[in-house]
Amino acid sequence: MARETSRDRRERVAQMQAAQKKSERRRLFIVIGACIAVIAIIGGAVAWAIVGEQNKKAEALQSISGDVAAASCDPVTDDAASGSSDHVGPGTNKADVTKIQYSTVPPSSGQHFAVPAVDKRRVYTVADAPRIETLVHNLEHGYTILWYDRSVEKEQAASFEALATRINAIKESANKFIISPWDPAYGAFPAGKKYALSHWSADYDQASGKVANQKGHRQLCGGLNTAVVEDFVKAHPWSSAPEPGAA
C-alpha cells in the first residue's frame, strides 16, 4: 500500500471540509425552508382568522341592517336638560348620594358621578357595565349611548361589537359611542322596547366656555337597526355637548 503523503493528507482534509460545508449548507437551507414554511402557515392562519373575523362582523352587521320600519322605533324625543357639572357621589361634597332617580328612561342628562367611564371598552355586558350615573357623565362629554334590555345580551353580542366598530369610526361619533345594558332598577323600558339611544346636546362656545341651549335626546326601539343608530348619531354628533372636549 502506498504511503500517504502530506499532500495527500491535505487534499483529503480539504475534501472532508468541503463535504462538511456542503452538508452544513444543505442543513441550513432545510432549516430556512422549514422556517419559511412555518411563517407562511402562521401568516396564512392569521390572515384566515382576520378574514374570518371580518366576515363574522359583516354578517353580524348585515343581520341588523334590514328594514328600518321593522325596528319599531319611536320618533326622537327632546328632553329638558339639567345637571351640567353637577357631580354627586364618591369624591364630591354629596358623597352620600349613591343613586339618582332620573326623570326619563333612559336619562339624556342629569346629575352624575364625578368620573366618567374612560376605559377603551365600547361594548359592556351586565357583568361589567359602569353605573348609570357614570355613563351620564359620558353623555355630558358628547357620547351617544345605546342602552339595551338585558334579555338580548347574548343573542346580540356579535352585532353589538360590529355596530360599535362601525359607529365609532364615523366622524360624528369620533369614538364616543357606547353600548351598555340598561338597569331596570332605574325604571322599565316601555312595553315592546328593547333598545334606547340617548345623547345630551348643547351649544358650546369654545372661546368663552359657555354652554347654552341644552337638550336631551332619546329614541326607543323594539329592534336593532344600523341605519337608525347612524342617523341618530349624525343628527346628534359628539361636538354638540356641554363638554365636548373632555375624554
Side-chain angles (χ1 to χ4, degrees):
M1 180 180 294
R3 187 174 180 179
E4 185 179 47
T5 65
S6 297
R7 180 178 178 181
D8 292 337
R9 284 196 296 274
R10 287 196 298 271
E11 290 178 350
R12 181 166 57 82
V13 169
Q15 291 173 354
M16 292 173 62
Q17 289 174 337
Q20 183 177 4
K21 289 181 179 179
K22 185 176 181 180
S23 177
E24 288 174 351
R25 285 197 298 271
R26 187 182 300 113
R27 286 196 296 270
L28 178 60
F29 290 149
I30 291 173
V31 170
I32 291 173
C35 289
I36 292 173
V38 170
I39 291 172
I41 292 171
I42 293 174
V46 170
W48 181 263
I50 291 173
V51 170
E53 186 64 26
Q54 290 175 340
N55 287 339
K56 286 181 180 178
K57 284 188 175 182
E59 291 173 2
L61 206 58
Q62 183 62 34
S63 70
I64 57 172
S65 299
D67 183 14
V68 170
S72 300
C73 295
D74 292 342
V76 176
T77 60
D78 295 336
D79 310 316
S82 63
S84 181
S85 299
D86 191 354
H87 299 162
V88 299
T92 73
N93 58 4
K94 299 177 182 177
D96 58 326
V97 179
T98 58
K99 182 181 178 182
I100 298 168
Q101 197 62 47
Y102 292 100
S103 59
T104 63
V105 175
S108 54
S109 70
Q111 291 182 316
H112 45 274
F113 286 167
V115 181
V118 293
D119 58 24
K120 294 181 179 180
R121 294 285 300 279
R122 289 298 177 262
V123 179
Y124 291 98
T125 67
V126 173
D128 58 24
R131 290 283 301 275
I132 302 297
E133 292 85 357
T134 297
L135 291 176
V136 170
H137 198 155
N138 287 82
L139 290 176
E140 187 181 34
H141 290 183
Y143 283 73
T144 290
I145 298 177
L146 172 64
W147 313 88
Y148 64 86
D149 186 277
R150 297 180 176 205
S151 65
V152 303
E153 178 179 86
K154 291 183 179 179
E155 67 181 85
Q156 294 287 23
S159 295
F160 286 156
E161 292 292 343
L163 181 62
T165 299
R166 181 183 179 101
I167 300 301
N168 278 303
I170 66 177
K171 68 180 188 302
E172 291 86 356
S173 170
N175 201 35
K176 286 190 170 186
F177 175 70
I178 286 176
I179 301 176
S180 190
W182 175 247
D183 185 347
Y186 289 77
F189 279 175
K193 304 303 180 184
K194 300 290 185 180
Y195 306 93
L197 290 154
S198 65
H199 182 84
W200 185 349
S201 74
D203 294 332
Y204 175 74
D205 187 310
Q206 188 172 4
S208 65
K210 291 182 178 180
V211 176
N213 302 321
Q214 295 186 63
K215 289 183 180 179
H217 309 283
R218 291 177 298 126
Q219 186 171 27
L220 283 79
C221 300
L224 187 60
N225 185 278
T226 305
V228 170
V229 177
E230 284 187 344
D231 288 347
F232 186 92
V233 171
K234 288 178 179 179
H236 311 293
W238 69 272
S239 55
S240 65
E243 298 179 14

